[in-house]
Structures are given as structure tokens and as C-alpha cells.
Amino acid sequence: MTAYPSALLTDQYELTMVSAALKDGTADRRCVFEVFARRLPSGRRYGVVAGPGRLAELIRDFRFAEAEVEFLRRAGIVDETTARWLADYRFTGDIDGYAEGELFFPGSPILTVSGTFAECVVLETLLLSVLNHDCAVAAAAARMVTAARGRPIIEMGSRRTHEAAAVAAARAAYLAGFASTSNLAAGAKYGIPTTGTSAHAFTLLHDDESAAFASQVAALGKNTTLLVDTYDIAQGIRNAIAVAGPDLRAVRIDSGDLSVLAGHSRELLDSLGATETKIIVSGDMDEYSIATLAAEPVDMYGAGTAVVAGSGAPTAGLVYKLVEVEGRPVVKRSENKATVGGRKTAVRRHKPTGTATEEIVVSQGVPDHRPNDRLLQRSYVVGGEILDPVPLAESREHLRQCLISIPWEGLKLSAGDPAIPVTIVPTT
Amino acid sequence: MTAYPSALLTDQYELTMVSAALKDGTADRRCVFEVFARRLPSGRRYGVVAGPGRLAELIRDFRFAEAEVEFLRRAGIVDETTARWLADYRFTGDIDGYAEGELFFPGSPILTVSGTFAECVVLETLLLSVLNHDCAVAAAAARMVTAARGRPIIEMGSRRTHEAAAVAAARAAYLAGFASTSNLAAGAKYGIPTTGTSAHAFTLLHDDESAAFASQVAALGKNTTLLVDTYDIAQGIRNAIAVAGPDLRAVRIDSGDLSVLAGHSRELLDSLGATETKIIVSGDMDEYSIATLAAEPVDMYGAGTAVVAGSGAPTAGLVYKLVEVEGRPVVKRSENKATVGGRKTAVRRHKPTGTATEEIVVSQGVPDHRPNDRLLQRSYVVGGEILDPVPLAESREHLRQCLISIPWEGLKLSAGDPAIPVTIVPTT
């Protein structure tokens, strides 16, 4: 098992802060922490909230086992008092936040964690790890889905990212509208449709390409995808149709100038009577290469490296900041890293047509209500009780609706400002 | 537990290929697969082998549990024959490869997996996930270590990457020469020194900065690091020394123009008599920002996002290709993705002074021996028996020696060619 006890998925400073706070009596001060992004990755027009659906299980399991506490004590990281506190640790506070699949912008308070200082601060590392990773993948994936204009995309990036990150990445890509994943653990754990047929190795294993195709069709039937670019693509297509017949489901091309090859392959398939055989293209696909193929007769895309690595933005830039202590807003003044204190309430404003116009974030208050406002926060944890996560399919549909709601410029791939402005109203 | 059964950390096509190969009788053909990079990330001069030390455990645990086989069967991914084969799966072949901490270049055969087609192909996803992630982090980290010119670097990127990837990233960064990590799971699992004191939240929690500093010193002693940039850095330093006295171990600055601030902070500390108090800087550190600070009075760096995300290259670009079937070299002919067939043997040539000059990779043969040659491959798995991994400290030292051995241009941060050429001698 690739198993990590989740409570040690934590930066040491969280525990040294708990130690010091337990000693000086501040550990129990009522605090509010907020997860937000100071800015979006360069040129991006929106962020996508992804990860809350994974957090329920991780927070529930966030307990320091005896051996872990012993490790921390023996390493001199925590003292006796803190060791005992950790052994009893259980989050008893509240977590509210944006729905999974919601869009976010600079300053959006996507997660709000309240409770004692100590119980909130020890969750920082886990919350940020999950959200920074999953949001980064989901945002990249959502742009690819837009670029694909309704054509399905298969997530096939597991081999390009950490083995456990691959599972979360498959989930985030599916949330963002991908059709399926190659990752079996994601299928087993999250019920995401899985897909996959063969690699070049399978063709090379056989005495010739036709033998490989015949074997695959014998095992998987004609409703399969034959990989036709191991040797010569045109010959590969001819072999595929000769072996499987014109009702072969699909061919896949994984190399070469796909914009030229797609058209040639379509013509060739049609000339062989395989007019319904789909063309799947893969190989270094990102939102830009997908957009480039919009006019070509491509039926489906396979995306790997770019989606799991966030297409140039592998982390979402989310931070976890203390914004309130005992009801009093707090802020740091560091250069370029200033924050607005106080617990925030957020709404998104819309035109009567449903187009989003603005996000209003009010510190220690509530935005005045207007028609077509939508409250953006919901409860995830109430008094330590972890609410059941929203089904992934529902979050996927939520994101689809959100992307329809933003102004059309917001969906452009080119660099630009956030799709809608966020107005943050500080505590008065 | 963030637990994934490692055998499902696998792309579906591996299992459909096994299905088809079991059916047509090719599953038992003796095969050799090779892990290599076609190219290094843009402008990089070397790659770093990282990950083999994590593989021993993962390969040992790579078994399909009953429930997993049942999932695969019910989902229609595998047939009965394949299900039985998976239930009995255990890798019985050989794995050889470059040592952890070894450098690699385009075409270096960093891992060679031999056995039956079926038993080798199912390992593809796991092997590539581990190596692509860990090598990417190690290469970025190694460049930062070079840029830091002997000053220690702390890895503190856990909050910016997937929660389990964070543990592997901490390991890869330590392998590459980082001094320590913030990640406690990496400390517990790999024995890496951990470090961490406090975040801005700790200062904000308290009634004022001096109270926070006093609390931290009371709990952790003067051998701690006070974070001085929550409000005003100069005042923060004065408060720190007023509270802790001139024998405070260190101050940390996490924002602002660090090249200016480091000098000012040093002067101020010295003027306060704190001549031995170290200055640690953090905040968006990468190899370039570290290099920029070379002339400034900085004692230690903290690196986060850039190291865990591979500093612009989040995946190492490694592929897993079938190169030999029943002793016969095989190659695909795809455009831009051509491979050289055959099992490879690799040596690195050196001048008598120890400077590396060239890597020679011979397909289905052995390079002629010259003085100062070093064989690059070692055994990881022999007939299914997994050999004990080399201790991480040893691999760390190996990399340090390797970096000394390459021509000096190879250590430049600027974009350039691989530090040494690789000559691949095909099967004659």
C-alpha cells in the first residue's frame, strides 16, 4: 500500500506553533482561517474549486496514531503536553467553503476554517496540499474541455505524475468535464469511467502489426481502439480495417502533425468504408493544441502530461491565512502579501440573463441582497461533524453551469484578466 | 489513511494488453522494456535519477487484491483468464538500472525491466509515475543546490503539491542536497531531518509581535527561527533581538525585495550585537532567485513551490518502451518518437582527472573498456527478488560526486545542451 498516515502529511511548523500556543495559553483562542488565492496563474481568467470532495475522508482520518506521536516526541518536535494534545486530536470546529466545481477568482474565500487556533492550524498543510493540487488540475482541464468544444477528452496522464497524485488528477479532470480516465484506481475509488486499449509495445510484441490488431480485436471485440502509428500510419489504418472490418470503433494516432494526419486519416477511413470509425488523437495535448485541431476531423482527444501538471500552472497558488482572532480581524502587512482580515461572506452577482457580473466578498458582514445573487459558501464541517460530500457528478454539472454563466471573454484561452471582478469590502 | 492499493495505480491499457496477450499466447514472450528520456526539459543540462529507492516497497506490494480483481472483472476490464492471472501476479523478472543519484541524459537507459511481456507491461504506469515525479523534483532541487553554493536549503513545498507527492518530493529534494524538509511524514518515513518553527498566523494570533516571539522562545528556546516580516521587518528584527537576546539562532524573511532586505537585516542584526544570528529567506525561491542572492548575506534558503513543481518541468519526460522480444531488438518508427531497439549497456567515460566526457550506450553488446570508464547499471530486482535499496544518504553523496564530475558548463543554470553527449551504438 502507498499509505501515509494523513496527520503526518503536515509541516513541522504547524506543530511547533501548537506547542508554543499550548504553553502560553493562546491555543484555545477562537480563530478563523481562510483559503484564497492572491492571484490566478499568469493570464488565467478563472480558477476551479476542486478537492473538497476528497477532504471529507482525509479530515476524518486526520488523527495522530500512537507511533506517530512517539516519533514526534522522540525527534524532539513536540513536548509532552503537545504529544498528549495530538494523541487526542480531533477537529471540532466548522469548515465552510465554495462548492466543488465552483469558479474562483483572486480574493475569493474558497474555504473558511473556524475553531481554536490549535485545531485549525494543524490542518493547514493537508488542506492546502489537496486544494492546490486539485484546483490546478481542474483549471487546466476545464480550459481543455472548452477548447474541445464538446468532443470528449480522455485523461491519460498517470504516467507523468506521482502515483497517488495521478488518482486525484483523474478525479479533478473528470470534475472539469473530461469523459474518462486511464487510471484504474480512480475508476475503483471514484466511479469515474475508465478506458484504455493498447500501447505501441503491444504492436511491437507481435510478429507484425496485423497480428497485433487481430489479437486485440479477438480479445476486446471491434468496439475497441487500434493504435495505428507504430510504423506507418496509412498502412496502419489499412491493416486495422482489413483486420477489424469497417465497423471498427476507433483508431488512435499518438505522434506526428496531427492536424494534417487527422484529415488524411479521415479520408482514408472513409475510402475504406469505415465512415463511422472514430479518430482519437493523443501526444502532448494541451488546451492550445486541442484548439488548433478544432476544424479537423478529430472525434476524441487523449490528454496526459499537460492536464496532470496543470498546463504550466502545477499549483493553484492558494494560501491559508489567519483572518480573525476572538472576533477581531487580523492582517499581516508584508509587502505584496497583504491580506484583508475578518471572516468573509461571498456572493456572485448576475444579470437577469444569468451572466455573472461580479463577486462581492464582505468581511464580517453580509452583502446586501440583490435579485440574481448567489451565495457561494456552504457547510462542509459543522461542529466537527463532517457532512457527506456532494456526488462528483453533481459537482461536474455545477462547474458546467458556472462556465456557461461567466462572460464569454472569460472562456478565451488567451491571457487576460479574471472573468469577473471581485470586490472585497473590508470590515468597517 | 491516504491509501491506494498500488496495483490499481495502473493505466487500463496495461491490463487490456495482458488480456489480449494471454489469449493469443504472446503474454509469455521474453521481453525487455527500457525507461529513458528522449530529451531533457527545455534548456536543462542533466537529469537526476530519483525514485528507485521508493520502488522496492512499491513493487513488493504490487499485488492485485481479491476486491480489486473483482472490480476489474465486474467493470468488464478483464476476462476470467486475466482475472486469475492478476490474482496470482508477482513480478518474477529482473530490473537493472542507474543508481539513485546518478545523472542521466537523453537516451540513457535508466531502468531496464526484463521478463515476460505480461509481467513487465503491468509495471509501466507505476514505474513511470514514480520516476517521472521524483526525477523532476530532484533535477530542479539539484540546480538550486548548485545555485546556493553551499548554503543550506530547506524544502518547504508540501502545501503546494499533492499530499502524498509532497512526501516523495521532500525525499527527492534531500537526495539532491537539500538540508532538511518541513514535511513530517518524510521525516518519519525516510529519516530526513525536519525543520519548521512558525508562520505569520502565530504572530497574528498574539496581542503583538513581541508576545508571539516571547512565546516561541519560551517554548522552543533561543535556538529557533523568528519570522520577522508580519508587520515591519526592521521593527520585527528589533523585537526579535529584544525578546530573545543577541544569541537568537535565526530570523526568517518571507516577502519583499530579499536582495535589499538581506543586507539591511544583516546590518541591523550586527548593530544589535546579534552577529551570529542567521538570516533565512523564503518566498518564491527557485534556482534563479537563489543565484541572485549569492552575494547577499543570506545564510539559508527556504524553497517551496518551485522545487516540488520541478521549477518549470514538473515531469521528467521519461517513457517505458519495449526494446527487445525473444532476443530480437524492436523499434517503433513513429515520427519524432523513434527508439533504438535492444537491451542496452551503458558506461560513462571520464578523463584521467575524473571529468566525465561521454556516455556510451551499446545495444545488445558491451562498450569496449577504457580506463576511467564507469559502468552505470546495477541490479534492483533479480529473478523477482527485490534487493534492498541503497541508503538515501549514500545516493545523496553519489549525486554530489556526479555533479562534481561533469564539465563545469554542465552546472550553469542557463539553457544549454546536455552536459555530456550520449552515443548510442545500435545493434549491428
Side-chain angles (χ1 to χ4, degrees), chain A residues 23-236:
Chain A
K23 205 157 189 169
D24 76 6
T26 55
D28 284 334
R29 290 190 176 178
R30 306 299 304 174
C31 287
V32 179
F33 284 83
E34 185 182 298
V35 174
F36 65 97
R38 291 197 182 89
R39 63 196 75 84
L40 296 176
S42 179
R44 291 284 180 88
R45 294 163 187 251
Y46 59 82
V48 173
V49 176
R54 289 209 295 127
L55 283 175
E57 181 186 2
L58 290 167
I59 295 172
R60 188 174 295 122
D61 294 345
F62 193 94
R63 303 289 172 88
F64 292 84
E66 203 176 313
E68 293 157 23
V69 173
E70 189 50 32
F71 160 75
L72 294 168
R73 186 163 33 197
R74 274 208 311 228
I77 294 164
V78 300
D79 58 18
E80 280 303 315
T81 308
T82 310
R84 277 195 302 274
W85 185 89
L86 292 175
D88 292 339
Y89 179 78
R90 186 177 158 275
F91 181 70
T92 66
D94 299 325
I95 302 183
D96 305 302
Y98 283 32
E100 191 156 50
E102 188 56 79
L103 302 181
F104 70 87
F105 304 96
S108 297
I110 73 170
L111 209 72
T112 306
V113 180
S114 33
T116 67
F117 173 77
E119 71 179 349
C120 294
V121 83
V122 295
L123 289 181
E124 176 184 18
T125 307
L126 182 69
L127 296 178
L128 285 181
S129 291
V130 169
L131 294 171
N132 269 321
H133 174 268
D134 291 12
C135 292
V137 174
R143 285 161 56 87
M144 294 181 200
V145 169
T146 297
R149 302 190 188 185
R151 292 173 178 169
I153 315 179
I154 306 165
E155 187 282 308
M156 41 174 72
S158 295
R159 302 187 299 283
R160 315 298 171 212
T161 188
H162 181 278
E163 67 276 13
V167 188
R171 183 183 181 281
Y174 184 70
L175 167 73
F178 273 45
S180 57
T181 178
S182 62
N183 188 288
L184 291 169
K189 189 166 174 70
Y190 301 117
I192 299 170
T194 60
T195 187
T197 50
S198 63
H200 297 106
F202 189 74
T203 301
L204 295 173
L205 168 70
H206 288 81
D207 298 335
D208 57 42
E209 193 176 50
S210 294
F213 290 169
S215 165
Q216 187 177 325
V217 170
L220 304 175
K222 292 180 181 185
N223 190 28
T224 192
T225 301
L226 295 175
L227 179 60
V228 294
D229 72 339
T230 304
Y231 304 109
D232 173 83
I233 293 173
Q235 189 55 47

Side-chain angles (χ1 to χ4, degrees), chain A residues 11-12 16 24 29 54 129 132 158-159 163 182 185 194 197 205-206 215 229-230 254 333-334 337, chain B residues 8 11-12 16 24 29 54 129 132 158-159 163 182 185 194 197 205-206 215 229-230 254 333-334 337:
Chain A
D11 283 335
Q12 178 167 318
T16 45
D24 76 6
R29 290 190 176 178
R54 289 209 295 127
S129 291
N132 269 321
S158 295
R159 302 187 299 283
E163 67 276 13
S182 62
T194 60
T197 50
L205 168 70
H206 288 81
S215 165
D229 72 339
T230 304
D254 186 51
R333 306 263 178 223
S334 309
K337 290 190 174 181
Chain B
L8 285 192
D11 283 335
Q12 179 166 318
T16 47
D24 77 3
R29 289 189 177 179
R54 290 208 296 128
S129 291
N132 269 320
S158 294
R159 302 187 299 285
E163 66 276 13
S182 62
T194 60
T197 50
L205 168 70
H206 287 81
S215 166
D229 72 340
T230 303
D254 186 50
R333 304 266 179 224
S334 309
K337 291 190 174 179

Side-chain angles (χ1 to χ4, degrees), chain B residues 45-49 98-105 108 110 142 348 356 359 374 376 398-407 410-411 419-420:
Chain B
R45 294 164 188 251
Y46 60 82
V48 174
V49 176
Y98 283 32
E100 191 157 49
E102 187 57 79
L103 302 181
F104 71 89
F105 305 95
S108 297
I110 71 170
R348 194 166 297 152
E359 200 165 298
R374 187 157 62 79
L376 293 170
H398 183 66
L399 173 58
R400 205 180 69 77
Q401 295 295 340
C402 285
L403 286 170
I404 291 170
S405 77
I406 57 173
L411 294 179
I420 59 170

Side-chain angles (χ1 to χ4, degrees), chain A residues 243-275:
Chain A
V243 163
D247 46 347
L248 173 66
R249 178 172 168 273
V251 296
R252 178 160 75 97
I253 307 170
D254 186 51
S255 55
D257 181 346
L258 296 171
S259 56
V260 172
L261 290 169
H264 288 179
S265 299
R266 182 73 269 157
E267 282 169 27
L268 180 54
L269 285 167
D270 289 350
S271 77
L272 296 168
T275 54

Side-chain angles (χ1 to χ4, degrees), chain A residues 1-6 8-17 19-21 23-24 26-27 29 31 33 54 57-58 61 71-72 77 117 121 124-126 128-130 132-134 156 158-168 181-190 194-202 204-207 211 215-216 218-220 229-231 252 254-257 261 283-284 305 309 314-315 318-319 321-322 325 328 330-335 337, chain B residues 1-6 8-17 19-21 23-24 26-27 29 31 33 54 57-58 61 71-72 77 117 121 124-126 128-130 132-134 156 158-168 181-190 194-202 204-207 211 215-216 218-220 229-231 252 254-257 261 283-284 305 309 314-315 318-319 321-322 325 328 330-335 337:
Chain A
M1 307 285 275
T2 310
Y4 297 102
S6 61
L8 284 191
L9 297 173
T10 294
D11 283 335
Q12 178 167 318
Y13 76 175
E14 322 288 8
L15 303 193
T16 45
M17 287 190 278
S19 279
K23 205 157 189 169
D24 76 6
T26 55
R29 290 190 176 178
C31 287
F33 284 83
R54 289 209 295 127
E57 181 186 2
L58 290 167
D61 294 345
F71 160 75
L72 294 168
I77 294 164
F117 173 77
V121 83
E124 176 184 18
T125 307
L126 182 69
L128 285 181
S129 291
V130 169
N132 269 321
H133 174 268
D134 291 12
M156 41 174 72
S158 295
R159 302 187 299 283
R160 315 298 171 212
T161 188
H162 181 278
E163 67 276 13
V167 188
T181 178
S182 62
N183 188 288
L184 291 169
K189 189 166 174 70
Y190 301 117
T194 60
T195 187
T197 50
S198 63
H200 297 106
F202 189 74
L204 295 173
L205 168 70
H206 288 81
D207 298 335
S215 165
Q216 187 177 325
L220 304 175
D229 72 339
T230 304
Y231 304 109
R252 178 160 75 97
D254 186 51
S255 55
D257 181 346
L261 290 169
D284 293 330
T305 304
T315 183
L318 296 165
V319 294
K321 293 297 162 189
L322 179 60
V325 178
R328 169 180 57 89
V330 296
V331 290
K332 66 171 180 160
R333 306 263 178 223
S334 309
E335 200 180 334
K337 290 190 174 181
Chain B
M1 306 286 275
T2 309
Y4 298 101
S6 61
L8 285 192
L9 297 172
T10 294
D11 283 335
Q12 179 166 318
Y13 77 175
E14 321 289 8
L15 302 193
T16 47
M17 287 190 278
S19 279
K23 206 159 187 167
D24 77 3
T26 55
R29 289 189 177 179
C31 288
F33 284 83
R54 290 208 296 128
E57 180 187 1
L58 289 166
D61 293 345
F71 160 74
L72 294 168
I77 293 164
F117 174 78
V121 83
E124 176 184 18
T125 307
L126 182 69
L128 286 182
S129 291
V130 169
N132 269 320
H133 174 268
D134 292 13
M156 42 173 73
S158 294
R159 302 187 299 285
R160 316 295 173 214
T161 188
H162 181 277
E163 66 276 13
V167 187
T181 178
S182 62
N183 189 287
L184 292 170
K189 190 168 174 69
Y190 300 117
T194 60
T195 185
T197 50
S198 63
H200 297 105
F202 188 75
L204 295 173
L205 168 70
H206 287 81
D207 298 335
S215 166
Q216 186 177 324
L220 305 176
D229 72 340
T230 303
Y231 305 111
R252 178 160 76 96
D254 186 50
S255 56
D257 180 347
L261 290 170
D284 295 329
T305 304
T315 184
L318 297 165
V319 294
K321 294 296 162 190
L322 180 61
V325 178
R328 169 180 57 89
V330 296
V331 291
K332 67 171 178 161
R333 304 266 179 224
S334 309
E335 197 179 335
K337 291 190 174 179

Side-chain angles (χ1 to χ4, degrees), chain B residues 21-75:
Chain B
L22 284 170
K23 206 159 187 167
D24 77 3
T26 55
D28 285 334
R29 289 189 177 179
R30 306 299 305 175
C31 288
V32 179
F33 284 83
E34 184 182 298
V35 174
F36 66 97
R38 290 197 183 88
R39 61 196 76 84
L40 297 176
S42 178
R44 292 284 179 88
R45 294 164 188 251
Y46 60 82
V48 174
V49 176
R54 290 208 296 128
L55 282 174
E57 180 187 1
L58 289 166
I59 295 172
R60 188 174 294 121
D61 293 345
F62 193 93
R63 304 289 172 89
F64 292 84
E66 203 176 313
E68 292 157 23
V69 173
E70 188 51 30
F71 160 74
L72 294 168
R73 186 161 33 194
R74 275 207 313 226

